[in-house]
Amino acid sequence: MGFVPNDRQQQAIEHVHGPMLVVAGAGTGKTTVLAQRAAHLIANGYARPDEILAVTYTEAAALHLKNTVAATLREAGIRADASGLHASTFHAYCNKLLKDAGREFGVVDDKDLWILLRRRLARLPLKHYLPARDPGEFLDALRQFFSRCQDELVDSARYRKYVEELRAGQHPLPRVAPAKQDAALTPDEKLERCAEIADVFAEVEAILSAGKLGTYGDMITGAVRLLREDAGARANAQKHARFILIDEFQDANVAQIELAWLLAGDERNVFAVGDPDQGIYRFRGASSAAFEEFLHRFKGAKGVVLNENQRSTSHILGCAHTIIRRNPEVDRSLAPGVDFRRVPLISAREERARQAGKPLVPQPVSIVLGDKNQEATDIAEEIHSLVNRGGASSIAVIYRLHSHAAEVAYELATRGVPTVVKGINALQTPEGRDLLAALGAVASLSNVEDIFRVSALPMFGLDAGEVARHLHESGRKNSYPTLLAKIAGGERVMKRIEAARAYAASVEWQAVPVSKYVAREFGFASDAGPASRICDFITKWRDKAITEKGTLEEFIEYVDYYQQAGGKLDLSPDNGEDGDEAPVQLMTVHSAKGLEFDHVFVLRANTRSFPSGYKETIFEFPQALREMPVADDSKDLHNQEERRLFYVALTRAQNFLSIYAKPSTSKKKAPPPPPGLLRELMLDVFAKGAWVQRNARPATVSRIAAAVAPQSGVAVWMLAKPTAIVDDPVLSATAIEAYDICPLKFKLSREWVLPGPASAALLYGNVMHTVLRDIHQAEQAGRARTEGQVLQLFQQEMENARFDDRLQARLYQEQGARQLTEYFRLRNQRVQLPVLQVEQDFKVKIAGVMVRGRMDRVDDSAGHRRIVDFKTGKAYDQDKADKSMQLGIYALAAREIWGAAPQELVIYNLEDNSEVVSTRAAGDLAELEEKVQEIAAGIRASLAAGVFAADPGFHCRWCDFRNVCPATEQRLYSIPHAAPGN
């Protein structure tokens, strides 16, 4: 039986002339209605296929739409050729318009634009947004801001005019930095930053224009400009777009709506369908305000609300409505006579069953409470049982962030459950990292970290303990290739690399053939998996608009920048659509949009997980430049979008829905529900009776996942049983902090002296501490340095330091000179306390534990010692200083050495030459002593067990071991073709 529309669907399908807005709730068949409308127009002679333009947001959706129209016409026995129907994405359509008009350009995506600008960073007129510690830190924020401008049809000339209007006092000054920093800026400083943004915007446009390049946003803005300026092009485009159908309209932005307006002409045959409750791409410039904008532009538009859900049961829909009903609705005043009020969706399945006399009894939504390990065990057991007994046609595990999937994927793998994890980044898998390291080693023998990783490949059979011992004994005095010559089997590593280098030279170092050779010769799979995906990626990279010579060296730089820009390479080709038929799929909520499953499990429904925490943009998009008068950067709007995302996750379920969360940590006798959206649901009377609660099963010890998801060779080295090097009874303050943060980091920092250059931040920190030591030692000796002497020493030390990035070296040169000049000036202005010690080493027993360390400076303050610690990175605030374990250990050491704890512990921030004074009360020191004892006991226990567990988190971003740490690898737990386990 074919599609049988209900009354409201029929009304939308049969609408012919004039604008219509269809507000279609989840699962109400909005895309089907759009396709049926196209078929209706053709079948009834209202339009030829080549007079219809249907636009959506993915190429796959556009192809599906076209095929559906053709199939509908065939089923109706209508011999109409639908091949002329133009179904496309907005971007593809605009690109063709520009190409036909001779305005085509090479397209760069968001990541490639970041890379293009990073390569030309020295050319950009940046001052305030060019920090030495990370020169590219603000590039993504700037890129996003310029993209947002394009969404609103604002070019650099318009933005510069806006800055002049700011100078004239015509608008309030926008936020140009994170809120706390922005509040401290004067109006002149804000204007200076706005002018800097305008200059950079203009330069970015100039760079793209010079290279005949453009972004995806430029496709839309270029097409709009073409239609505005060229009457002939506009008339021709309108002839082939007499009827415009827009799917997923909730994701439309101002530029796209303007495009539809220009194409529609006087006939205004624009049919837009979407769901404001599923607008989940606010970061792309889309907003639920698109519906109001449509009604504002297309006066007198007809309207239809689709409210019969064809997918889910009433309990699932009731819970989803409870979540979404707190969000704003479409402004009904803009469409008189059309009731756009949000109402609970009707379960059409239950209605049909009731009418047939066979009532469908919906299963209540399960709310399951437990920590992340219990959550993983419970879900794995549930799914294992379902798959084994054939109790589900399709299952999805949905989460807010890809990192949330790790534990569940692991537990499913141990049970042999057929699984596909979508969104795995091939570049961060063990095999992917190994292949990139092999390519890096072949590209240059100076890439010693890459050679180190290659030497850990199982094919070479090197002994990890011997490698660690040689590295430790050498202490970076010898090159790693030199050390390899002393290690049994090490010469085979270099011979293999040299052979690959010889082949690379024979093919003129072209990345495509070299990558295939390296994949083969270093033992990587050639037909599937991460290595194959990366080789395909390199082949496509060769044809990119920003690729110049296509050499291996160029690719190595590209992929490094690509990952810095947040680029990921989905292990599944074709945007991860491969494996859609797998019984169990794990995916983010963004990936789940538009899909449906028999069973859905939603993970970590807690505040700061799902919903995620609010992160403000660095640059506020000014209200004065908005077409749609709705802000897109506020905590309220973030919460609204997170609520829409949660709504999307819930409405993917057809029959069974389970929501997992950590229980509340409240100490009350009757603790409240978990904080976040789930609390809203559980406390709302509307959803009463639609859900049941239970506790998750206890976490279990997993069985065979290591065999299912092998680690890289270097990960095996890092996780090997600790050597005697780790078992040092003396702990440093840094080591104590390291174990507290991550036991594995502690082990690696003591056991492995990894090859490779020091980070730029570390090099700069060493230089600044050398200069400060000289200043303070000279003061002690009564021979105070002049400013010239200080800067001369700084210059010498910077020349001796080996910075890889010349721009970063220059920025640090300028920053250091500026900071030292200000430090010298302020120190001469202030009353100087006598310096007692400079870089004071200590080795004391704290709570029975031997601890060593070094205090940067110790002053005499009215007979009391004052400890000063200099920071060369981001400035510490009071809270961070008060929580600093390092300062607390200094206080304990001072008490042991001098018999009294210092009255003042000072963090001196060289970034802004500020002092943050902290203290430690007796109770604080007692707690810290207990902490030191606890950590020492933990180290002994880890040594006894031979295991130092990783504790991944936000701190991994700055860890020296992040590139070799097994916890940061994305292991392949996916087993799409395995038989169910028992």
Side-chain angles (χ1 to χ4, degrees):
M1 182 178 177
F3 171 72
V4 179
N6 59 39
D7 290 345
R8 295 190 181 193
Q9 289 174 328
Q10 190 71 38
Q11 182 183 347
I13 291 168
E14 293 182 351
H15 172 78
V16 179
H17 296 293
M20 171 173 271
L21 180 62
V22 179
V23 174
T28 57
K30 59 181 181 296
T31 304
T32 301
V33 165
L34 187 138
Q36 291 288 329
R37 168 171 161 74
H40 177 79
L41 291 172
I42 296 169
N44 290 278
Y46 295 116
R48 299 190 310 272
D50 66 350
E51 294 178 317
I52 299 174
L53 169 64
V55 288
T56 187
Y57 282 83
T58 69
E59 293 291 352
L63 179 61
H64 176 73
L65 182 66
K66 193 167 185 175
N67 291 339
T68 301
V69 173
T72 301
L73 292 172
R74 283 196 304 271
E75 289 173 9
I78 298 170
R79 295 182 178 179
D81 183 7
S83 62
L85 172 69
H86 196 161
S88 173
T89 65
F90 271 111
H91 294 101
Y93 174 76
C94 291
N95 196 39
K96 186 176 185 305
L97 277 184
L98 294 172
K99 184 177 181 179
D100 292 344
R103 300 188 185 186
E104 190 179 15
F105 49 77
V107 180
V108 293
D109 61 23
D110 290 347
K111 301 301 180 289
D112 285 354
L113 178 59
W114 191 99
I115 293 166
L116 185 70
L117 299 180
R118 181 63 181 84
R119 288 172 176 169
R120 292 161 174 75
L121 205 52
R123 174 177 163 179
L124 298 180
L126 289 164
K127 177 183 175 183
H128 300 96
Y129 302 117
L130 190 64
R133 64 177 175 271
D134 180 7
E137 179 180 350
F138 292 100
L139 270 185
D140 205 47
L142 287 164
R143 181 199 59 74
Q144 288 179 13
F145 181 78
F146 300 149
S147 177
R148 185 73 183 87
C149 285
Q150 289 181 320
D151 291 339
E152 295 279 346
L153 295 171
V154 173
D155 60 11
S156 64
R158 174 66 187 96
Y159 185 77
R160 191 179 295 282
K161 182 174 182 294
Y162 161 74
V163 174
E164 293 307 313
E165 292 167 358
L166 285 178
R167 293 188 192 282
Q170 296 178 26
H171 311 294
L173 291 170
R175 181 174 55 75
V176 291
K180 287 184 180 179
Q181 298 176 26
D182 188 78
L185 297 175
T186 65
D188 285 344
E189 289 172 331
K190 283 194 172 191
L191 283 170
E192 188 177 346
R193 282 162 173 76
C194 288
E196 181 174 327
I197 293 170
D199 291 341
V200 175
F201 195 176
E203 185 62 28
V204 169
E205 287 185 341
I207 289 172
L208 290 171
S209 177
K212 296 182 179 179
L213 302 171
T215 65
Y216 284 105
D218 286 322
M219 290 181 184
I220 309 292
T221 58
V224 167
R225 192 179 304 114
L226 171 68
L227 296 178
R228 284 174 172 174
E229 298 171 354
D230 189 328
R234 183 171 63 252
N236 186 60
Q238 288 174 343
K239 184 172 63 174
H240 296 287
R242 283 191 56 232
F243 291 88
I244 302 167
L245 291 75
I246 307 174
D247 197 9
E248 304 289 357
F249 188 70
Q250 71 276 357
D251 297 327
N253 57 43
V254 166
Q256 291 162 346
I257 295 172
E258 174 69 9
L259 179 74
W261 170 260
L262 289 167
L263 289 171
D266 295 336
E267 290 192 76
R268 303 196 311 153
N269 295 326
V270 181
F271 181 88
V273 57
D275 182 4
D277 293 336
Q278 294 187 75
I280 60 174
Y281 294 106
R282 184 170 53 89
F283 62 88
R284 293 182 184 172
S287 165
S288 57
F291 293 83
E292 281 89 347
E293 181 67 13
F294 183 94
L295 295 171
H296 174 74
R297 283 175 177 261
F298 296 99
K299 303 292 187 184
K302 301 293 184 181
V304 176
V305 176
L306 305 184
N307 66 344
E308 287 189 17
N309 179 282
Q310 308 296 321
R311 176 189 306 147
S312 307
T313 63
S314 57
H315 284 341
I316 293 170
L317 296 175
C319 289
H321 181 74
T322 300
I323 295 297
I324 203 63
R325 71 193 185 107
R326 289 171 170 77
N327 270 9
E329 297 180 296
V330 175
D331 185 354
R332 300 194 297 275
S333 66
L334 295 172
V338 182
D339 191 352
F340 282 125
R341 282 180 300 179
R342 182 190 292 116
V343 295
L345 296 178
I346 299 166
S347 174
R349 290 171 52 207
E350 290 181 27
E351 280 294 302
R352 288 193 295 271
R354 184 183 60 78
Q355 291 172 8
K358 298 178 181 179
L360 174 63
V361 180
Q363 291 294 312
V365 172
S366 290
I367 294 175
V368 188
L369 303 184
D371 63 29
K372 65 180 181 180
N373 293 316
Q374 293 168 332
E375 170 187 78
T377 295
D378 195 277
I379 290 174
E381 288 293 333
E382 287 283 310
I383 292 177
H384 182 249
S385 176
L386 284 168
V387 171
N388 271 355
R389 70 172 188 263
S393 58
S394 59
I395 301 171
V397 180
I398 298 177
Y399 32 84
R400 182 65 178 86
L401 300 174
H402 183 72
S403 58
H404 294 167
E407 289 82 8
V408 176
Y410 184 98
E411 292 296 334
L412 287 169
T414 66
R415 292 159 176 82
V417 175
T419 307
V420 167
V421 183
K422 294 196 173 185
I424 288 179
N425 182 7
L427 301 173
Q428 292 301 323
T429 60
E431 184 177 270
R433 284 185 172 185
D434 285 344
L435 176 57
L436 291 177
L439 292 172
V442 171
S444 174
L445 296 179
S446 64
N447 293 336
V448 290
E449 188 176 275
D450 289 333
I451 298 174
F452 171 73
R453 189 176 185 100
V454 169
S455 69
L457 291 174
M459 66 183 295
F460 296 114
L462 270 60
D463 180 78
E466 188 180 359
V467 175
R469 179 174 59 80
H470 278 280
L471 282 170
H472 212 274
E473 290 173 356
S474 172
R476 294 196 177 94
K477 293 177 183 176
N478 295 316
S479 71
Y480 187 65
T482 302
L483 288 178
L484 277 177
K486 303 176 183 179
I487 298 170
E491 72 284 350
R492 290 189 292 115
V493 178
M494 295 310 300
K495 283 183 180 178
R496 188 64 61 101
I497 291 173
E498 290 291 0
R501 286 175 59 79
Y503 172 80
S506 74
V507 295
E508 299 182 331
W509 295 93
Q510 287 298 296
V512 174
V514 173
S515 64
K516 294 177 181 177
Y517 175 92
V518 169
R520 182 177 68 252
E521 294 300 312
F522 285 81
F524 299 106
S526 59
D527 56 346
S532 175
R533 188 80 177 95
I534 290 171
C535 288
D536 290 343
F537 178 64
I538 295 173
T539 301
K540 292 176 181 176
W541 162 81
R542 180 63 187 87
D543 297 327
K544 279 180 173 284
I546 68 168
T547 301
E548 297 174 356
K549 298 179 180 179
T551 62
L552 181 60
E553 182 181 18
E554 184 183 2
F555 175 73
I556 295 299
E557 180 206 54
Y558 174 87
V559 78
D560 180 39
Y561 282 154
Y562 181 76
Q563 295 188 86
Q564 287 183 43
K568 297 176 182 178
L569 179 61
D570 197 320
L571 184 58
S572 300
D574 301 321
N575 297 319
E577 292 166 11
D578 185 46
D580 285 347
E581 301 305 316
V584 183
Q585 298 183 52
L586 279 66
M587 65 187 72
T588 65
V589 62
H590 282 97
S591 298
K593 176 86 184 314
L595 304 178
E596 58 185 36
F597 304 90
D598 187 20
H599 284 64
V600 167
F601 299 83
V602 178
L603 303 189
R604 304 195 188 180
N606 293 89
T607 298
R608 292 188 293 277
S609 289
F610 196 174
S612 66
Y614 168 64
K615 296 178 182 177
E616 66 181 358
T617 58
I618 294 175
F619 312 113
E620 174 191 5
F621 190 81
Q623 287 286 350
L625 295 177
R626 298 178 193 277
E627 287 290 330
M628 293 190 289
V630 178
D632 59 359
D633 180 35
S634 73
K635 194 168 184 178
D636 283 345
L637 286 169
H638 166 81
N639 291 338
Q640 289 172 22
E641 177 143 337
E642 290 297 307
R643 194 173 281 114
R644 291 195 294 269
L645 279 163
F646 201 70
Y647 174 79
V648 167
L650 302 193
T651 54
R652 298 312 91 199
Q654 294 172 299
N655 295 304
F656 303 94
L657 172 64
S658 298
I659 307 172
Y660 286 75
K662 290 189 299 184
S664 170
T665 57
S666 171
K667 302 298 182 184
K668 293 180 179 178
K669 193 170 184 180
L677 297 176
L678 199 55
R679 181 173 291 178
E680 293 181 4
L681 168 62
M682 296 174 74
L683 295 179
D684 196 309
V685 294
F686 181 86
K688 189 175 181 180
W691 55 269
V692 294
Q693 178 187 327
R694 67 175 175 84
N695 293 327
R697 297 171 174 85
T700 57
V701 177
S702 299
R703 303 184 290 276
I704 60 168
V708 174
Q711 296 167 317
S712 63
V714 77
V716 173
W717 280 12
M718 299 296 104
L719 291 175
K721 188 175 181 179
T723 65
I725 299 168
V726 179
D727 192 11
D728 184 346
V730 182
L731 299 175
S732 66
T734 302
I736 292 170
E737 269 193 309
Y739 187 88
D740 189 43
I741 293 171
C742 175
L744 183 59
K745 179 181 179 180
F746 166 85
K747 172 185 181 283
L748 300 184
S749 64
R750 291 169 76 92
E751 187 173 37
W752 290 92
V753 181
L754 291 183
S759 68
L762 180 60
L763 290 173
Y764 175 71
N766 290 340
V767 167
M768 293 295 282
H769 276 84
T770 297
V771 176
L772 291 168
R773 180 180 65 225
D774 181 76
I775 292 172
H776 303 141
Q777 285 177 340
E779 285 181 13
Q780 268 188 306
R783 300 191 303 272
R785 300 295 190 206
T786 66
E787 182 180 327
Q789 290 173 321
V790 169
L791 295 178
Q792 183 179 8
L793 177 60
F794 171 70
Q795 177 69 30
Q796 291 172 352
E797 292 296 321
M798 285 293 292
E799 289 174 359
N800 293 333
R802 296 182 179 180
F803 288 88
D804 287 339
D805 188 326
R806 283 183 293 178
L807 172 62
Q808 197 168 23
R810 175 175 67 79
L811 293 173
Y812 269 130
Q813 184 87 34
E814 295 168 355
Q815 174 181 301
R818 185 172 62 252
Q819 289 177 353
L820 287 169
T821 298
E822 182 67 4
Y823 177 76
F824 194 82
R825 183 185 69 81
L826 291 173
R827 188 151 178 81
N828 287 335
Q829 284 181 359
R830 296 167 179 163
V831 176
Q832 293 186 23
L833 300 175
V835 177
L836 297 177
Q837 280 93 21
V838 177
E839 294 198 354
Q840 171 69 43
D841 291 320
F842 62 83
K843 188 175 181 180
V844 297
K845 267 197 173 182
I846 296 175
V849 180
M850 190 62 71
V851 179
R852 64 170 174 261
R854 175 180 294 169
M855 305 172 191
D856 286 346
R857 197 180 77 209
V858 182
D859 296 340
D860 182 358
S861 176
H864 297 282
R865 284 174 172 78
R866 182 177 190 260
I867 297 175
V868 182
D869 191 55
F870 289 92
K871 298 299 179 186
T872 58
K874 280 191 174 182
Y876 275 44
D877 58 16
Q878 189 67 55
D879 182 64
K880 194 171 182 181
D882 290 343
K883 292 177 180 176
S884 169
M885 182 181 289
Q886 187 178 46
L887 286 186
I889 288 175
Y890 289 169
L892 288 172
R895 190 179 65 183
E896 294 297 317
I897 298 170
W898 299 301
Q903 289 188 334
E904 289 186 344
L905 300 162
V906 180
I907 292 289
Y908 193 100
N909 297 306
L910 286 161
E911 182 177 72
D912 56 5
N913 272 283
S914 64
E915 284 190 351
V916 182
V917 180
S918 183
T919 59
R920 296 294 186 276
D924 298 327
L925 296 179
E927 285 182 14
L928 183 55
E929 284 183 301
E930 290 181 12
K931 185 71 173 177
V932 171
Q933 283 182 317
E934 177 189 323
I935 289 173
I939 293 170
R940 290 193 294 271
S942 295
L943 280 167
V947 176
F948 285 78
D951 186 11
F954 197 70
H955 52 268
C956 294
R957 298 187 180 191
W958 298 281
C959 181
D960 293 336
F961 302 97
R962 63 188 176 276
N963 292 329
V964 296
C965 178
T968 60
E969 293 178 347
Q970 291 191 18
R971 296 174 65 189
L972 301 180
Y973 297 120
S974 301
I975 41 177
H977 305 299
N982 294 309

